[in-house]
Amino acid sequence: MILRAVCGLGIVAAMAGAFARTLDRHAGSADGAPAPTIDGGTDPGRSDFGRIAVRGLARWELDALRRAGLSAREWNEVLAVRVAGAESTPGLPPVMGQHRISDGAVEFVPRFRPPIGVRYSVRFDRGRIGPLAGRQTEAGPMVVTRDLTFGESAPPAPATVVTAIHPSSDVVPANQLRWYLEFSAPMSLGEAYRRVRLLDERGREVSGAFLVVDQELWDPARRRLTLLFDPGRVKRGIRPNLESGAPIRQGGTYTLRVDAAWRDGRGAPLRSGFAR
């Protein structure tokens, strides 16, 4: 009798588990579903330039994202798009744009026209969705990544150059705070802090010289960039200055160098590097 009771309980438990899994499938669970796919493309006829789409999500996941009312920061924790290699630059934000649910997919639409030939790194974190609906997603890998290139595979010929740097004097104050770089054509976004370096008289890079801000400081035409030295290092007597020192010191000789690999708004590298 005892053995039959134990077996009976096991059968009941197994039936209950199967019934729960059946309910979960009908509710739109992602259990056992394949990993989401990421694709992207451009369409000259669309006003949004291009888009990146994540497909293969369950209905309840899309509903959870639609109801959540996520902020831009929270959306970027779910789906982030960055210029490939930008993860090596601490503090550099994801590409600016709009997240939305459309045609059964999570989409990202860039705010600015994607430069031709620039490679983007896309990261989708499915594990962020479950807590929004009070449940756990169990569908294999939680994080899906892919690199994508918008537009043509080969960028146009290099033509853009640095036309000026301000201040233009050979001698600047030791507490200089702002620099301005001017270009002959519009530039791409998201590369500035990787492409400009300050070198000392021995050719060594001054680490952390420039203040990295969430949004690069371009004029509306994206032809003039404002670079700021870290004010905390420039101002004497406060912690960053005491710990790291000023970016430039009185009597020192420095070089501001611009990398030729910096891409312009068409996706082409600069025609040549620049040093002053």
Side-chain angles (χ1 to χ4, degrees):
M1 290 294 292
I2 295 176
L3 288 176
R4 283 198 296 273
V6 171
C7 291
L9 288 174
I11 293 172
V12 171
M15 292 176 64
F19 181 66
R21 287 192 294 273
T22 301
L23 287 179
D24 225 12
R25 283 196 296 271
H26 284 292
S29 171
D31 294 359
T37 60
I38 299 173
D39 60 47
T42 56
D43 184 349
R46 294 172 62 115
S47 60
D48 56 15
F49 313 136
R51 61 195 177 96
I52 290 172
V54 180
R55 307 184 188 280
L57 298 177
R59 183 175 57 193
W60 72 264
E61 293 177 298
L62 296 172
D63 289 342
L65 288 171
R66 186 180 288 110
R67 293 192 302 264
L70 302 180
S71 66
R73 179 186 61 80
E74 291 169 329
W75 261 119
N76 282 321
E77 292 176 352
V78 178
L79 173 60
V81 181
R82 290 180 167 84
V83 175
E87 62 274 6
S88 62
T89 305
L92 194 66
V95 173
M96 297 178 64
Q98 176 189 5
H99 295 80
R100 66 190 186 190
I101 309 296
S102 178
D103 298 328
V106 179
E107 293 186 347
F108 173 81
V109 179
R111 181 174 176 181
F112 302 100
R113 184 182 300 276
I116 294 174
V118 173
R119 197 159 185 79
Y120 292 89
S121 178
V122 185
R123 183 181 188 274
F124 179 72
D125 188 347
R126 195 175 197 175
R128 296 276 183 175
I129 303 177
L132 298 176
R135 61 192 295 176
Q136 183 176 358
T137 304
E138 297 179 359
M142 290 294 100
V143 176
V144 182
T145 61
R146 183 181 176 186
D147 282 359
L148 294 171
T149 302
F150 279 102
E152 302 168 358
S153 58
T160 304
V161 295
V162 177
T163 57
I165 179 174
H166 302 285
S168 58
S169 171
D170 291 336
V171 180
V172 298
N175 62 350
Q176 178 71 34
L177 183 61
R178 287 183 177 86
W179 296 89
Y180 301 94
L181 287 176
E182 295 184 359
F183 298 83
S184 60
M187 294 295 292
S188 63
L189 297 172
E191 295 194 56
Y193 301 114
R194 294 190 296 133
R195 302 304 187 190
V196 183
R197 296 182 296 155
L198 181 71
L199 309 178
D200 63 17
E201 56 268 21
R202 298 183 180 180
R204 300 174 302 186
E205 183 173 0
V206 179
S207 178
F210 298 107
L211 180 66
V212 177
V213 296
D214 288 345
Q215 186 173 350
E216 295 171 352
L217 304 177
W218 290 98
D219 70 335
R222 296 213 313 270
R223 295 179 59 173
R224 185 184 68 190
L225 173 70
T226 301
L227 289 169
L228 302 175
F229 279 153
D230 186 340
R233 293 183 60 179
V234 173
K235 187 172 178 61
R236 296 180 180 178
I238 63 176
R239 178 174 292 181
N241 175 266
L242 296 174
E243 291 180 348
S244 302
I248 56 176
R249 302 176 186 273
Q250 184 172 349
T253 300
Y254 297 87
T255 301
L256 195 64
R257 187 177 299 278
V258 177
D259 188 349
W262 196 347
R263 295 185 180 273
D264 63 16
R266 304 170 304 136
L270 295 177
R271 193 168 66 195
S272 62
F274 178 88
R276 173 64 183 277

